[in-house]
Amino acid sequence: MTNSTIKTYTIGHYLSERLGQIGLKHHFAVAGDFNLVLLDQLLEEGSTKQIYSCNELNCGYTAEGYARANGAAAMVVTFNVGALSAINAVGSAYAESQPVIFISGGPNTNDQGAGHILHHTIGTTEYGYQAEMVRHVTCATEVIRSAEHAPKQIDHAIRTALRLRKPAYIEIPCNLAAAPCSRPGPVSSLLAEATPDKVSLDAAIKAACTFIETRKNVAILVGSRVRTMGALEPIVALADRIGCAVTVMSAAKSFFPEDHPAFRGVYWGEVSTGSARDVIEKADGVICLAPIFNDYATVGWQSEPDAKNMLVADLTEVTVDGQSFAGFHLGAFIKALSEKAPNRPASRENSKFTPPVIPSSAPEAPLTNDEMARQINAMIDSRTTLTAETGDSWFNSSRMTLPGGARVETEMQWGSIGWSVPAALGTAYAEPDRQHLLMVGDGSFQLTAQEVAQMVRYEVPVIIFLINNRGYVIEIKIHDGPYNYIKNWDYAGLMQAFNAEDGKGLGLHARTGAELADAIAKAKANKKGPTLIECSIATEDCTDTLVRWGKKVAGANGRPPHLG
Ligand code: DPX
Ligand code: MG
């Protein structure tokens, strides 16, 4: 049924139409009796396609990955048993600044406050606790109680999520999903950025120009939250205007074109690439665009630009020379600054960029981490998205050389292993015309492996590099113990189980460079499903940057408590 032929317009239809209006083409779901009627409404209105996940954690990560590529996403789960599983993924969306609309079915309104004990709940008679839990990982929490108020509550959640780039929660009782409801008004009030406060923006630009003018050695440091801007052109325009060197943080790999002449590498303290460390540590003025300086990014608090030398432009505020300005979004600030900023080319003129070289090995030699990373890097073109899971895949992706247009997705703030398999699937749904590569370690894969079955089901050709190094190697380097070693699986063999009678997924083994090259050729030809290439490498074989970084992070974790 299409929207115009719907006879009775319902709350579920309203939500469905809004999701389509904000630019979603899919929503992700796991069915359960508290959301079945809602799922019917979403199918009936039909603005977005319903895609199923194996479980709610995966559903959330798929939505999170989709939002990265599409700007926003929606997921639908059932009450408690579904939603509580999804909270980890919604935490990721919060930490990584992704507007995921988190929709849960809820108990029948007649059971609320009636002293009834319901299935799927903790067995008490009050049902507000799910919304209370979710409140901490969302920017708006709306529990629908009537058809009359539903439109404004749904709009409030969606508008807040889009403006703040954070997840928002909507709970719809199972007996209200099909309740008659008014039709939506124009969507523009949900989409539009709030009009920038021009006075505040002008003051911020004036302060930023003074900051740049009064520094000799200015550089730009790009942080991961610029992802929320979508396009990179404004950042390039700013770099061109100032004429300075540009570096990216590790979580912001690919958020500045590496083939741009101002690019100087990844700034990650002592594990930086190119001349990024020199550029940032010599600068007396660092323009930080939406950075997150957490313990991982600062290599255990060792490397953070000096606060007095920093201008920090975050999503909704700018801090410069001790003053703070708000009332406009990052994009508006960058655009305005790129029209007014003074020229300060010293950092670019006095530095060079030599891309890291990843060593190769003989084709018949046992596969090494270097040879694997080198071959994956060679596959990356301007239409490739590489998703890199927490683990050595971070350090491998960090040292890759990217053509303009290539994209790397990591989850360095939340860092929850298992994220990447469903997230890469979400990214691939959103951008079917790109090539999707995934690097995931054996330990991480074991958390969410079953989502590969959805890649088979929906014929999504993600190429998965499963790095089988027999354990949690990043943890081994930070703090070793028996808990870092895992049960080995026949990862490539799993594909046969996921294919069952009709799937077209491919599972391949690579134990040498030649086998990997052969597997990559087969993967590229397989357009009707995922290809999982199990890359077997030795446990001790990892990037040297991981080892150096791991020691510092272990030191930071091991600091004794301050007493008194
Ligand atoms: C853990 C991590 O095999 O990658 O390259 O071998 O390290 P590497 P693997 O995928 O192992 C990942 C492992 C166990 N972190 O080294 S990073 C702790 C952890 C986490 N997230 C969750 N649980 C535990 N990051 C959900
Ligand atoms: Mg591993």
Side-chain angles (χ1 to χ4, degrees), residues 224-495:
S224 57
R225 286 189 170 134
V226 303
R227 181 194 286 107
T228 61
M229 288 171 43
L232 300 181
E233 285 80 9
I235 302 173
V236 175
L238 179 64
D240 289 341
R241 169 91 189 190
I242 302 175
C244 64
V246 181
T247 69
V248 298
M249 294 182 72
S250 47
K253 174 82 177 171
S254 82
F255 296 170
F256 189 81
E258 296 196 356
D259 52 3
H260 189 285
F263 183 67
R264 292 293 176 269
V266 175
Y267 176 62
W268 198 355
E270 69 172 77
V271 294
S272 298
T273 68
S275 52
R277 186 176 192 189
D278 202 44
V279 163
I280 293 301
E281 293 181 3
K282 273 193 188 147
D284 60 357
V286 183
I287 302 170
C288 305
L289 304 178
I292 302 181
F293 292 114
N294 65 14
D295 50 345
Y296 278 10
T298 60
V299 196
W301 309 120
Q302 305 272 317
S303 320
E304 192 178 357
D306 190 344
K308 69 175 184 330
N309 290 340
M310 280 200 273
L311 178 162
V312 179
D314 223 323
L315 293 190
T316 53
E317 68 186 15
V318 169
T319 308
V320 51
D321 285 330
Q323 273 191 299
S324 184
F325 305 90
F328 47 84
H329 196 264
L330 176 67
F333 173 77
I334 293 180
K335 184 168 182 299
L337 190 60
S338 67
E339 286 157 11
K340 293 249 166 67
N343 190 248
R344 275 285 175 280
S347 63
R348 180 167 155 183
E349 286 168 0
N350 300 328
S351 63
K352 285 200 183 69
F353 176 59
T354 316
V357 176
I358 306 179
S360 60
S361 43
E364 301 309 330
L367 187 62
T368 62
N369 182 50
D370 281 346
E371 178 60 19
M372 177 189 69
R374 190 189 68 76
Q375 290 199 30
I376 297 171
N377 196 166
M379 292 178 76
I380 298 177
D381 61 18
S382 62
R383 300 203 53 76
T384 297
T385 299
L386 170 69
T387 299
E389 176 67 271
T390 300
D392 201 16
S393 301
W394 278 354
F395 298 87
N396 271 323
S397 64
S398 169
R399 63 182 173 148
M400 288 183 186
T401 302
L402 305 178
R407 203 145 169 104
V408 173
E409 293 294 349
T410 56
E411 192 214 27
M412 285 198 185
Q413 177 55 33
W414 191 244
S416 182
I417 58 172
W419 159 82
S420 69
V421 176
L425 174 60
T427 310
Y429 282 126
E431 294 183 312
D433 297 334
R434 287 175 73 85
Q435 169 179 250
H436 294 276
L437 308 182
L438 164 61
M439 290 180 79
V440 54
D442 48 351
S444 303
F445 185 76
Q446 291 195 0
L447 274 86
T448 54
Q450 69 277 70
E451 217 52 25
V452 173
Q454 304 295 0
M455 297 179 185
V456 174
R457 176 182 187 174
Y458 293 105
E459 301 188 345
V460 182
V462 177
I463 302 177
I464 305 165
F465 295 92
L466 182 301
I467 299 113
N468 188 353
N469 56 9
R470 307 284 178 122
Y472 299 155
V473 169
I474 195 171
E475 301 282 318
I476 291 170
K477 298 298 170 191
I478 294 176
H479 183 121
D480 201 8
Y483 33 72
N484 289 330
Y485 300 86
I486 59 177
K487 170 75 182 79
N488 190 39
W489 293 4
D490 175 4
Y491 299 96
L494 277 181
M495 203 55 103

Side-chain angles (χ1 to χ4, degrees), residues 90-292:
V90 179
S92 179
Y94 197 99
E96 304 288 328
S97 292
Q98 299 305 323
V100 170
I101 312 301
F102 176 25
I103 302 151
S104 174
N108 184 299
T109 50
N110 297 304
D111 290 321
Q112 318 243 11
H116 295 168
I117 296 182
L118 287 172
H119 70 286
H120 286 352
T121 70
I122 56 172
T124 55
T125 57
E126 186 279 318
Y127 301 115
Y129 60 90
Q130 177 170 304
E132 277 313 308
M133 289 177 177
V134 166
R135 203 177 291 286
H136 298 278
V137 288
T138 55
C139 63
T141 311
E142 294 289 351
V143 179
I144 308 279
R145 285 276 173 266
S146 71
E148 188 193 348
H149 296 295
K152 99 173 156 224
Q153 289 184 279
I154 291 171
D155 283 2
H156 174 252
I158 295 176
R159 180 188 300 114
T160 312
L162 295 182
R163 292 211 173 144
L164 299 183
R165 273 76 169 177
K166 296 284 180 198
Y169 176 70
I170 303 173
E171 184 177 311
I172 304 184
C174 56
N175 62 333
L176 282 182
C181 167
S182 61
R183 287 187 180 249
V187 73
S188 45
S189 71
L190 271 65
L191 290 180
E193 296 288 349
T195 313
D197 177 340
K198 193 155 178 333
V199 178
S200 179
L201 180 58
D202 286 349
I205 295 298
K206 192 158 175 261
C209 288
T210 307
F211 174 90
I212 297 168
E213 250 156 35
T214 53
R215 264 78 178 178
K216 287 196 189 69
N217 214 345
V218 173
I220 294 176
L221 178 64
V222 181
S224 57
R225 286 189 170 134
V226 303
R227 181 194 286 107
T228 61
M229 288 171 43
L232 300 181
E233 285 80 9
I235 302 173
V236 175
L238 179 64
D240 289 341
R241 169 91 189 190
I242 302 175
C244 64
V246 181
T247 69
V248 298
M249 294 182 72
S250 47
K253 174 82 177 171
S254 82
F255 296 170
F256 189 81
E258 296 196 356
D259 52 3
H260 189 285
F263 183 67
R264 292 293 176 269
V266 175
Y267 176 62
W268 198 355
E270 69 172 77
V271 294
S272 298
T273 68
S275 52
R277 186 176 192 189
D278 202 44
V279 163
I280 293 301
E281 293 181 3
K282 273 193 188 147
D284 60 357
V286 183
I287 302 170
C288 305
L289 304 178
I292 302 181

